[in-house]
Amino acid sequence: MTQEPLILVGGGGHCKSVIEVVESSVRFSIAGIVDVKEKIGTEVSGYPVIAGDDDLDSLVRHYQYFLVTVGQVRSSAIRSRLFNLIKSRGGILPVVIAPTAYVSRRATIGEGTLIHHNAFVNAGAAIGVNCIINTSALVEHDARIGDHSHVSTAAILNGDCRVGNNCFVGSNAVVSHGVQVAPNCLIGAGAVVLNHTEAGTLYAGNPAVPKKRVL
Ligand SMILES: CC(=O)SCCNC(=O)CCNC(=O)[C@H](O)C(C)(C)COP(=O)(O)OP(=O)(O)OC[C@H]1O[C@@H](n2cnc3c(N)ncnc32)[C@H](O)[C@@H]1OP(=O)(O)O
């Protein structure tokens, strides 16, 4: 099978994790990484940084496939800006699924979303665009996740729950079945979310309680 060249946009720690996924899937070969221009000429996991953010326009004329590989904890702003920029210039942001992940054929996944190693996405789940479903995360049946959200390592979204746009669900957090996490929320690592949340708020603890506004 001929591999398609893929550009990774963002050369930090999250990019290293994405590289492990892309290398183990057969469809794409990594053609290079985009980062701040000072990093041009350096490498990430053996792949060269070939361009700076300002060069994205011209890169979209030469390459078809891109993934946003900037990480996301406190804000989705950079990831969503890059996603929209690439898309508006005609770039394609594919779905990439690690071969060790399980994704039900009854689940839907939006463009540019990456499903990392050992993640599990069950039947009826619907995941938006440009999301990160990180290593060992569990998205249970009929759970719905909006756009530009990050379900972090080993987080659990139980059946029928909702996570809005631009959210972060921290490592090992649990969202109880049917619970709605409103847009722009941060759910702290290890939180157990038993009730619907207010938008733009950090929740943490077990049971999770609002800690502060984050917008
Ligand atoms: C592969 C990867 O690395 S993926 C990334 C994995 N990273 C994570 O999962 C992120 C872990 N960090 C968190 O969970 C943090 O809560 C964040 C980043 C979401 C928010 O951090 P901040 O905005 O700095 O919150 P801040 O430190 O101001 O905390 C506000 C309050 O919430 C509490 N709090 C914050 N996070 C947590 C938490 N996870 N559990 C319990 N309490 C917490 C703080 O103690 C503080 O409480 P107080 O006001 O009573 O003193």
Side-chain angles (χ1 to χ4, degrees):
M1 182 183 182
T2 314
Q3 289 187 308
E4 306 276 4
L6 175 71
I7 299 291
L8 305 181
V9 184
H14 181 61
C15 181
K16 293 180 182 173
S17 179
V18 173
I19 287 170
E20 296 298 317
V21 175
V22 175
E23 278 187 339
S24 61
S25 65
V26 289
R27 188 172 165 206
F28 296 104
S29 64
I30 297 164
I33 294 165
V34 177
D35 206 318
V36 291
K37 67 174 186 303
E38 292 74 21
K39 293 212 173 151
I40 294 173
T42 65
E43 292 189 343
V44 181
S45 297
Y47 294 96
V49 176
I50 59 168
D53 294 341
D54 296 344
D55 306 321
L56 260 178
D57 267 343
S58 62
L59 275 179
V60 179
R61 287 197 288 275
H62 291 93
Y63 294 93
Q64 206 174 5
Y65 294 103
F66 294 78
L67 272 182
V68 180
T69 51
V70 175
Q72 174 180 333
V73 176
R74 287 184 177 81
S75 168
S76 65
I78 296 173
R79 284 183 55 87
S80 57
R81 182 180 64 75
L82 290 168
F83 176 89
N84 291 327
L85 177 70
I86 294 163
K87 228 179 128 45
S88 69
R89 303 296 194 270
I92 298 173
L93 296 112
V95 172
V96 180
I97 300 173
T100 57
Y102 179 83
V103 177
S104 167
R105 65 188 173 86
R106 298 176 184 83
T108 59
I109 300 172
E111 58 193 321
T113 286
L114 207 96
I115 313 288
H116 285 250
H117 285 292
N118 290 324
F120 196 111
V121 180
N122 218 334
I127 301 173
V129 305
N130 199 30
C131 289
I132 303 166
I133 307 301
N134 219 324
T135 311
S136 296
L138 169 58
V139 179
E140 258 304 340
H141 67 85
D142 304 303
R144 309 238 149 189
I145 304 171
D147 299 333
H148 315 296
S149 286
H150 176 182
V151 181
S152 189
T153 44
I156 296 175
L157 304 185
N158 276 305
D160 288 306
C161 74
R162 300 281 180 270
V163 172
N165 295 338
N166 310 309
C167 287
F168 170 77
V169 181
S171 296
N172 275 312
V174 176
V175 180
S176 194
H177 67 277
V179 164
Q180 297 177 12
V181 174
N184 304 304
C185 276
L186 305 180
I187 305 299
V192 178
V193 187
L194 299 176
N195 298 299
H196 301 338
T197 71
E198 296 285 334
T201 305
L202 166 68
Y203 286 76
N206 178 7
V209 292
K211 290 289 187 179
K212 63 178 184 181
R213 297 283 301 161
V214 288
L215 263 189

